[in-house]
Amino acid sequence: MNPNSQNIEQLRADFPILGRQIYNRPLVYLDNAATTQKPKCVVDAIADEYYNLNANVHRGVHYLSQQATELHEAARIRVKEFIGAHSEREIVFTRGTTESLNLLAFSLGEWLLGEGDEVIISTMEHHSNIVPWQMLRDRKGIVLKVIPVDDRGDLLLDEYEKLFTERTKLVSVAHVSNVLGTINPVDEMAEIAHDKGCLIIVDGAQSVPHMPINVEQMDCDFLVFSGHKMYGPTGIGVLYGKESLLSQMPPYQGGGEMIKTVSFEKTTYEELPYKFEAGTPDYVGSHALAIAIDYLEALGMDNIARYEDELLRYAMEQMQTIEGMKIYGESDKKDAVISFNIEGIHHLDLGTLLDRLGVAIRTGHHCAQPVMQRFGVEGMARVSFALYNTKEEIDAFIAALRRVQKMF
Ligand code: 7TS
């Protein structure tokens, strides 16, 4: 089904929470970059597995364990197909983007990076793509370099190229900024990184739910993303990595699942991807994530991207009619995320008052304080759209903004 204004009500019916009232008003949920709501098929898949199929995976000869293992491994193949990876050995399940990035910082820190080696990130990174590298800097003495952002919210690619030296080993950048909405040219950035003999990590937390993604085409070395931002459950995420790299990298955590043999003298590790999956995995989450992917693909990622782009354009147009409106991030290549401030109203007050009118938005630093500093503010308000939002909801948001503005 191609989401559009004709069939959107039918599609919204898949998401029971959207029918809720908040303070006696219909919920207008515009905080999708933080997390998306879940379609019934995803929640049902979770309930069904716990009610009918629950057993620990990879260790039982019994029926339920084998069935649960089959679902878990089928989910890995589903993820592989969804992002165009070469092999399911390249798909590591994690708790989410943050854990995937911490895994990479740890493992690449052991394998690739030594004192004085340089890692390039950008001004618009989420804290999850800053702090793990700073922790590595403290442990190992690596050097962090930062790609600057211009006033429209685009990365300065000339400056990016200039950051490379013979000590640069790795680039780690967001595909889409959770603050500015900018869609970074990661294909081009990957090509530059590879030309310089470096690896590249792409943080796809904000892109994978909203546009078609193909890791071979992008030619990233690693891609990380979270299930809960793509209509799947919380607590499951993905680390994609090229097999040739993952196979050389040391494990992140030790425990069950990730070992082949253990004695007190020596332990050997499992093959990919299990080497990176210590402990009982979230096998219910992985299956539910696969159901979310089925849901997305039935709609079509191209269709979703097109529909959300319509919402973005409509919202940008409408928001610009509000007096004192300052929008951060006006790239030509922008995803459905709009951060803003209104003159004379603190973003926290704005968020609180909009909530009273049933409109859920994000306020604060959006876990990206350096980009706040870049734009000279302490915080911003943010609306972010998903495939179930409507122009009517944007109208309701704009009307609520006008009401709040009148109070000040
Ligand atoms: N990277 C980006 C670009 C993000 O937007 C987020 C979460 C993360 C990493 C971390 O993802 P997690 O699933 O591990 O938490 N961004 C947001 C946000 O914008 N509002 O709440 C969370």
Side-chain angles (χ1 to χ4, degrees):
M1 186 164 80
N2 180 353
N4 57 49
S5 42
Q6 271 79 53
N7 61 20
I8 194 75
E9 284 311 319
Q10 191 190 336
L11 196 153
R12 283 171 68 84
D14 295 337
F15 296 82
I17 203 172
L18 298 179
R20 268 207 66 174
Q21 303 261 315
I22 304 286
Y23 303 116
N24 294 321
R25 287 167 183 279
L27 166 66
V28 176
Y29 184 77
L30 301 179
D31 192 18
N32 295 287
T35 199
T36 54
Q37 301 303 346
K38 318 303 170 199
K40 207 166 170 302
C41 58
V42 167
V43 182
D44 287 349
I46 295 169
D48 184 54
E49 190 161 356
Y50 280 125
Y51 283 141
N52 296 309
L53 242 159
N54 181 54
N56 208 332
V57 293
H58 297 141
R59 48 195 91 189
V61 292
H62 60 80
Y63 180 85
L64 286 182
S65 175
Q66 287 186 4
Q67 291 285 304
T69 303
E70 256 175 47
L71 282 187
H72 183 57
E73 291 308 321
R76 201 186 300 280
I77 292 169
R78 197 73 193 83
V79 171
K80 174 201 96 163
E81 290 163 352
F82 183 59
I83 62 169
H86 177 68
S87 154
E88 55 269 29
R89 288 186 296 279
E90 300 180 317
I91 306 299
V92 175
F93 284 121
T94 64
R95 282 195 303 124
T97 305
T98 301
E99 189 176 52
S100 298
L101 287 167
N102 276 275
L103 187 164
L104 285 172
F106 178 85
S107 185
L108 291 173
E110 293 296 300
W111 175 62
L112 179 75
L113 302 164
E115 190 178 346
D117 285 338
E118 298 164 358
V119 175
I120 296 177
I121 57 176
S122 90
T123 308
M124 63 172 86
E125 297 313 313
H126 187 278
H127 295 163
S128 295
N129 197 23
I130 301 173
V131 183
W133 305 113
Q134 289 175 323
M135 290 162 72
L136 184 62
R137 180 171 68 188
D138 294 344
R139 279 203 314 274
K140 280 238 161 167
I142 63 153
V143 177
L144 266 185
K145 291 181 146 183
V146 183
I147 314 164
V149 173
D150 70 13
D151 290 341
R152 291 176 61 78
D154 283 311
L155 289 180
L156 294 169
L157 284 195
D158 292 350
E159 298 298 320
Y160 168 58
E161 279 208 75
K162 283 189 219 152
L163 290 178
F164 287 87
T165 71
E166 69 281 0
R167 295 306 305 269
T168 312
K169 295 273 176 66
L170 179 70
V171 176
S172 188
V173 284
H175 191 181
V176 168
S177 160
N178 69 319
V179 174
L180 305 169
T182 313
I183 305 172
N184 290 316
V186 284
D187 304 25
E188 200 182 330
M189 293 176 80
E191 202 177 326
I192 293 169
H194 291 149
D195 275 352
K196 310 270 186 192
C198 298
L199 300 179
I200 184 164
I201 299 169
V202 173
D203 173 353
Q206 298 294 350
S207 61
V208 173
H210 301 288
M211 59 188 74
I213 297 286
N214 183 296
V215 287
E216 292 213 4
Q217 218 170 307
M218 199 189 279
D219 198 21
C220 57
D221 297 294
F222 304 96
L223 175 76
V224 295
F225 53 99
S226 297
H228 72 96
K229 291 186 198 289
M230 50 189 291
Y231 314 92
T234 55
I236 187 91
V238 173
L239 159 62
Y240 155 82
K242 285 183 181 162
E243 190 172 352
S244 57
L245 299 169
L246 289 179
S247 61
Q248 296 183 70
M249 288 161 55
Y252 169 52
Q253 294 181 329
E257 287 275 309
M258 52 78 73
I259 56 89
K260 207 174 252 164
T261 62
V262 177
S263 71
F264 286 115
E265 289 70 40
K266 185 174 166 58
T267 288
T268 57
Y269 302 133
E270 252 300 3
E271 303 295 325
L272 286 178
Y274 309 109
K275 181 172 80 173
F276 292 106
E277 294 182 349
T280 296
D282 185 358
Y283 52 86
V284 176
S286 62
H287 171 57
L289 175 62
I291 299 294
I293 291 174
D294 288 345
Y295 185 84
L296 285 170
E297 288 208 320
L299 292 173
M301 293 311 295
D302 275 320
N303 295 331
I304 291 168
R306 196 175 322 114
Y307 178 70
E308 290 179 354
D309 193 53
E310 254 178 59
L311 293 178
L312 170 73
R313 281 165 203 282
Y314 183 69
M316 287 288 275
E317 243 173 59
Q318 296 300 312
M319 286 170 72
Q320 272 148 358
T321 65
I322 304 271
E323 209 178 310
M325 173 65 69
K326 165 76 187 149
I327 289 174
Y328 305 94
E330 295 178 296
S331 172
D332 295 336
K333 297 231 155 55
K334 186 172 163 76
D335 199 54
V337 173
I338 312 176
S339 291
F340 64 99
N341 271 314
I342 298 181
E343 213 178 303
I345 311 179
H346 193 274
H347 52 87
L348 265 177
D349 294 335
L350 186 63
T352 310
L353 292 168
L354 285 177
D355 178 53
R356 286 276 157 180
L357 299 169
V359 182
I361 67 160
R362 172 85 197 251
T363 61
H365 55 60
H366 310 343
C367 298
Q369 287 183 16
V371 81
M372 299 293 143
Q373 289 150 17
R374 163 64 182 79
F375 285 90
V377 295
E378 203 188 287
M380 298 174 185
R382 181 188 73 188
V383 289
S384 50
F385 304 112
L387 58 86
Y388 43 62
N389 287 125
T390 64
K391 289 190 178 165
E392 289 70 30
E393 286 182 307
I394 294 170
D395 292 340
F397 158 62
I398 297 288
L401 272 186
R402 290 195 200 284
R403 252 188 93 171
V404 170
Q405 207 169 24
K406 276 209 193 102
M407 298 178 196
F408 279 80

